[in-house]
Amino acid sequence: MTRRTGRRPGKPGTREAILDAARTAFAERGFDAASIRAIAGTAEVDPALVHHYFGSKDQLFLAAMNFPVDPGQLVPKVLAGDRDGVGERMVRIFLGVWDSPAGSAGVALLRSAVSNEWTARLLREFITTQVLRRVLEQLDVDPAQLPLRGSLVATQMIGLAMMRHVVRLEPVASADAETLAAAVGPTIQRYLTGPLPS
């Protein structure tokens, strides 16, 4: 009989306890202020077990959000190419996710955020820390303008998702992604890198 080596798995339900603690921490404190140590304390597990199950804080956040796509893999695609095309690429990639089968989780999250403040906080943290901050920090813009620029981009992107997948406003609901990228992309680009009112 051979002995198993390596870290012992947690008790049944440990993973869910960590996710519940993480959702609460991210919703109440935000991504930046929530710590692995505090989440582990709430879940009554060792912080190493959180890392064992989820790896990094970013990965824990994605699991807590139950979002099927890792923005960390998509943001480099948004930023690949010339700076003036970031807006269109952002819309194109965004729609590629939301229009795919994986997008159904995003639609469910969006519907829930409209009526549930706790979910709205999680969605706000997700958009801010996992998507917009990652894009904006790579662009040469005034750091003091990042919050406003990010918020303006979010109004367009979430509005587009809402009209296309929840309200199903035509012709936006059935338009092809290229048409929408060409129509909405320049507005996103202006919010990202264009002049803002003083």
Side-chain angles (χ1 to χ4, degrees), residues 115-134:
S115 59
N116 183 302
E117 176 56 29
W118 186 75
T119 308
R121 286 182 193 172
L122 284 174
L123 181 60
R124 187 166 50 244
E125 283 297 310
F126 178 78
I127 291 167
T128 303
T129 65
Q130 302 301 303
V131 181
L132 297 174
R133 180 190 296 169
R134 291 178 178 193

Side-chain angles (χ1 to χ4, degrees), residues 131-155:
V131 181
L132 297 174
R133 180 190 296 169
R134 291 178 178 193
V135 171
L136 285 163
E137 285 179 347
Q138 299 303 312
L139 301 175
D140 186 25
V141 294
D142 180 356
Q145 295 179 343
L146 295 183
L148 177 58
R149 289 183 184 279
S151 296
L152 290 170
V153 170
T155 65

Side-chain angles (χ1 to χ4, degrees), residues 14-193:
T14 298
R15 189 176 193 281
E16 280 308 310
I18 294 169
L19 286 173
D20 287 344
R23 287 183 190 108
T24 300
F26 290 134
E28 290 178 355
R29 292 182 217 117
F31 178 82
D32 293 330
S35 71
I36 293 288
R37 183 170 297 284
I39 290 166
T42 301
E44 299 180 349
V45 300
D46 189 281
L49 199 54
V50 178
H51 289 291
H52 170 71
Y53 278 114
F54 300 101
S56 68
K57 187 163 101 169
D58 284 340
Q59 290 167 320
L60 174 60
F61 190 44
L62 289 177
M65 292 292 297
N66 195 27
F67 207 75
V69 178
D70 181 356
Q73 296 176 352
L74 300 178
V75 169
K77 295 176 183 175
V78 169
L79 296 169
D82 66 281
R83 185 175 187 257
D84 293 336
V86 172
E88 281 194 36
R89 287 192 301 275
M90 182 178 267
V91 174
R92 194 175 297 113
I93 290 168
F94 177 83
L95 290 175
V97 171
W98 284 78
D99 293 352
S100 74
S104 60
V107 174
L109 185 63
L110 188 58
R111 287 179 188 275
S112 179
V114 170
S115 59
N116 183 302
E117 176 56 29
W118 186 75
T119 308
R121 286 182 193 172
L122 284 174
L123 181 60
R124 187 166 50 244
E125 283 297 310
F126 178 78
I127 291 167
T128 303
T129 65
Q130 302 301 303
V131 181
L132 297 174
R133 180 190 296 169
R134 291 178 178 193
V135 171
L136 285 163
E137 285 179 347
Q138 299 303 312
L139 301 175
D140 186 25
V141 294
D142 180 356
Q145 295 179 343
L146 295 183
L148 177 58
R149 289 183 184 279
S151 296
L152 290 170
V153 170
T155 65
Q156 293 295 303
M157 302 301 272
I158 295 302
L160 178 58
M162 181 70 80
M163 291 301 109
R164 186 168 174 86
H165 293 286
V166 177
V167 178
R168 297 183 188 272
L169 179 68
E170 291 294 352
V172 168
S174 59
D176 65 88
E178 286 303 316
T179 299
L180 292 175
V184 179
T187 300
I188 298 295
Q189 188 70 42
R190 183 169 61 85
Y191 291 157
L192 290 169
T193 60

